[in-house]
Amino acid sequence: MDRFHVSSACRRSLLAAAAITLGALSAQPLAAQLRPAGTSALDYPPRQTFTFNPIGIAAGVYSAEYELAVATQQTVALSASYADINNDDFTSLDLRWRLYADRALDGFAVGLSLGSSRTRDADRPEVPGQFSLTIGTQIDYVWLLGAEENFALGVGGGFKRFVSATGRDENAANFWPTIRLAVGAAF
């Protein structure tokens, strides 16, 4: 079986994440959003990040996330991931909410997620796979680095629980641990 086969659900998830990211990157700032000359980056911290996991790529794990500050200490994010581990495909698309201890996009955060996940055993193509709505929790720490705080580095972990499932295998896990390593741009 082709090692780099990507399921249609994964393609849709990655395309949705890419479309949102491109839309955010192509938006022109309004005059009120531009930082006045002579002010510090700390006076106008970044309001969005786009990150991915560079280490996972070598292991066949692909993930990306777009995060937007919606309040002083809160963000929402769209996260997409795909992994091919031992001929099992795992695809997920999640909407995440995070509450930061100090300011949005920087420092310690706790969060909740709501999404959908799909698992499929490539060795048993006759089995359609499992699709499920998921809920989850996560603890993260994010550093905004550089003079303009435009480099984001984040780590975190948590759990994702299957709420409803179709095509459920009785031996399948009811929850997955989640690990986050995020590197990218803050703007």
Side-chain angles (χ1 to χ4, degrees):
M1 178 132 309
D2 183 10
R3 167 124 172 93
F4 295 103
H5 170 74
V6 178
S7 71
S8 61
C10 177
R11 280 191 293 270
R12 286 190 302 268
S13 298
L14 293 175
L15 284 174
I20 290 170
T21 301
L22 287 175
L25 292 175
S26 66
Q28 295 296 318
L30 300 173
Q33 293 174 319
L34 296 175
R35 187 168 22 133
T39 60
S40 165
L42 298 176
D43 295 332
Y44 295 90
R47 305 295 298 158
Q48 334 175 48
T49 62
F50 177 72
T51 57
F52 70 100
N53 180 349
I55 295 174
I57 293 171
V61 177
Y62 308 94
S63 64
E65 181 176 272
Y66 171 75
E67 187 172 11
L68 173 67
V70 294
T72 306
Q73 295 175 278
Q74 298 178 49
T75 64
V76 292
L78 182 64
S79 174
S81 61
Y82 171 80
D84 180 3
I85 302 170
N86 296 329
N87 259 353
D88 291 335
D89 294 337
F90 302 92
T91 307
S92 67
L93 181 65
D94 294 301
L95 181 61
R96 299 179 184 274
W97 169 82
R98 290 189 180 100
L99 176 63
Y100 284 81
D102 187 25
R103 68 176 175 143
L105 302 173
D106 192 21
F108 178 77
V110 295
L112 301 172
S113 69
L114 176 64
S116 65
S117 294
R118 181 179 176 269
T119 61
R120 187 178 65 83
D121 184 350
D123 292 331
R124 295 176 27 196
E126 70 281 2
V127 177
Q130 174 183 333
F131 175 82
S132 179
L133 295 176
T134 60
I135 57 171
T137 60
Q138 193 160 349
I139 296 175
D140 298 287
Y141 198 93
V142 178
W143 294 268
L144 294 178
L145 305 171
E148 299 289 317
E149 293 187 332
N150 58 358
F151 181 81
L153 172 64
V155 294
F159 290 96
K160 182 185 293 190
R161 183 164 197 59
F162 286 101
V163 177
S164 66
T166 62
R168 179 141 180 86
D169 179 356
E170 293 301 320
N171 296 323
N174 288 329
F175 67 92
W176 288 345
T178 60
I179 298 173
R180 179 182 186 218
L181 171 61
V183 175
F187 47 98

